[in-house]
């Protein structure tokens, strides 16, 4: 009730006192708290709520120094495990939505490390951009961060209209921070990209 009325502080006080269990009412409360906190730009509080959901799901703690949740795609994203989270980019795990010209899925064929990776296949001559995979990452102002990831390619054209890339955007003010890291053209085995 309080979360629905944008009364985040009293709602969080009550939430912190509740026993945390995997139940429909608890999951709905988490969904509303995430929606409200993220909608108000209160990402630290949203991350606190998200951490409770991770614990309820029995997920291990994240890798120290790595701000990316589930970076190797080893676990099913929590938004898929808990459909009550719904659409709209709630939470701090991968958000993957359908695209008519792209196949994207977790894959266990030849991962860079661990047991899984993300497989993405684009159709030749795509007519719409693909921005259907994202993750909200909590960062601190004035700090320096670096992004390194692994990529394996097959038949990426050398000069497409808009080459595939990883994008970094400020969730609150997309116009203030936007960076694109291109995916290497051609075909190649796993390689780091920074």
């Amino acid at each position: 009730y309080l979360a629905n009325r944008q009364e985040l502080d009293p709602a969080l006080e009550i939430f912190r006192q509740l026993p945390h269990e995997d139940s429909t009412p608890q999951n709905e409360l988490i969904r509303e708290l995430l929606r409200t906190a993220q909608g108000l730009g209160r990402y630290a509080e949203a991350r606190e709520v998200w951490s409770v959901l991770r614990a309820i799901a029995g997920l291990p703690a994240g890798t120290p120094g790595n701000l990316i949740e589930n970076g190797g795609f080893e676990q099913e994203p929590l938004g898929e495990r808990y459909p009550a989270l719904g659409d709209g980019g709630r939470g701090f795990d991968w958000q993957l939505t359908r695209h008519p010209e792209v196949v994207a899925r977790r894959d266990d064929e030849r991962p860079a490390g661990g047991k899984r990776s993300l497989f993405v296949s684009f159709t030749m001559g795509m007519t719409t951009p693909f921005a259907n995979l994202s993750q909200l990452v909590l960062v601190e102002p004035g700090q320096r961060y670096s992004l390194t990831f692994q990529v394996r390619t097959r038949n990426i054209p050398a000069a497409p209209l808009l080459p595939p890339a990883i994008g970094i955007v400020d969730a609150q003010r997309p116009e203030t921070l936007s960076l694109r890291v291109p995916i290497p053209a051609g075909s190649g085995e796993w390689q780091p990209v920074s």
Side-chain angles (χ1 to χ4, degrees):
Y1 173 78
L2 291 171
N4 281 329
R5 297 192 52 170
Q6 309 274 326
E7 298 287 338
L8 185 60
D9 291 322
L12 283 171
E13 280 184 42
I14 294 168
F15 176 72
R16 289 176 184 130
Q17 295 172 21
L18 293 173
H20 299 302
E21 57 192 31
D22 193 358
S23 67
T24 300
Q26 181 87 20
N27 296 340
E28 289 174 2
L29 175 59
I30 287 172
R31 180 195 67 206
E32 288 306 316
L33 287 172
L34 284 170
R35 182 188 62 75
T36 301
Q38 286 180 224
L40 294 171
R42 294 182 55 186
Y43 296 105
E45 289 88 345
R47 183 69 187 189
E48 175 188 348
V49 173
W50 183 258
S51 296
V52 169
L53 181 61
R54 290 185 90 256
I56 289 171
L59 294 178
T63 306
N66 187 355
L67 301 178
I68 303 290
E69 178 93 13
N70 193 12
F73 297 90
E74 295 294 315
Q75 294 93 29
E76 174 184 35
L78 287 180
E80 293 176 20
R81 190 183 301 185
Y82 295 99
L85 291 176
D87 294 328
R90 291 185 190 98
F92 295 84
D93 202 345
W94 294 108
Q95 306 288 324
L96 178 60
T97 56
R98 292 189 174 273
H99 186 284
E101 299 173 295
V102 176
V103 173
R105 67 176 188 274
R106 291 173 54 234
D107 188 55
D108 59 3
E109 185 179 317
R110 298 176 52 204
K115 296 180 181 175
R116 294 219 162 76
S117 62
L118 179 69
F119 172 85
V120 181
S121 177
F122 302 93
T123 60
M124 294 299 284
M126 282 182 60
T127 58
T128 56
F130 176 71
N132 299 54
L133 176 68
S134 64
Q135 183 173 136
L136 182 63
V137 178
L138 184 62
V139 295
E140 295 295 326
Q143 299 296 312
R144 294 179 59 95
Y145 297 94
S146 65
L147 174 66
T148 301
F149 55 94
Q150 298 266 346
V151 65
R152 181 171 59 123
T153 58
R154 187 171 58 206
N155 302 325
I156 302 290
L161 231 40
L162 186 62
I166 302 296
I168 301 171
V169 178
D170 185 309
Q172 287 186 300
R173 294 178 304 281
E175 69 283 354
T176 63
L177 174 66
S178 182
L179 174 69
R180 288 177 47 87
V181 179
I183 301 296
S187 297
E189 290 303 312
W190 289 107
Q191 58 186 302
V193 178
S194 295

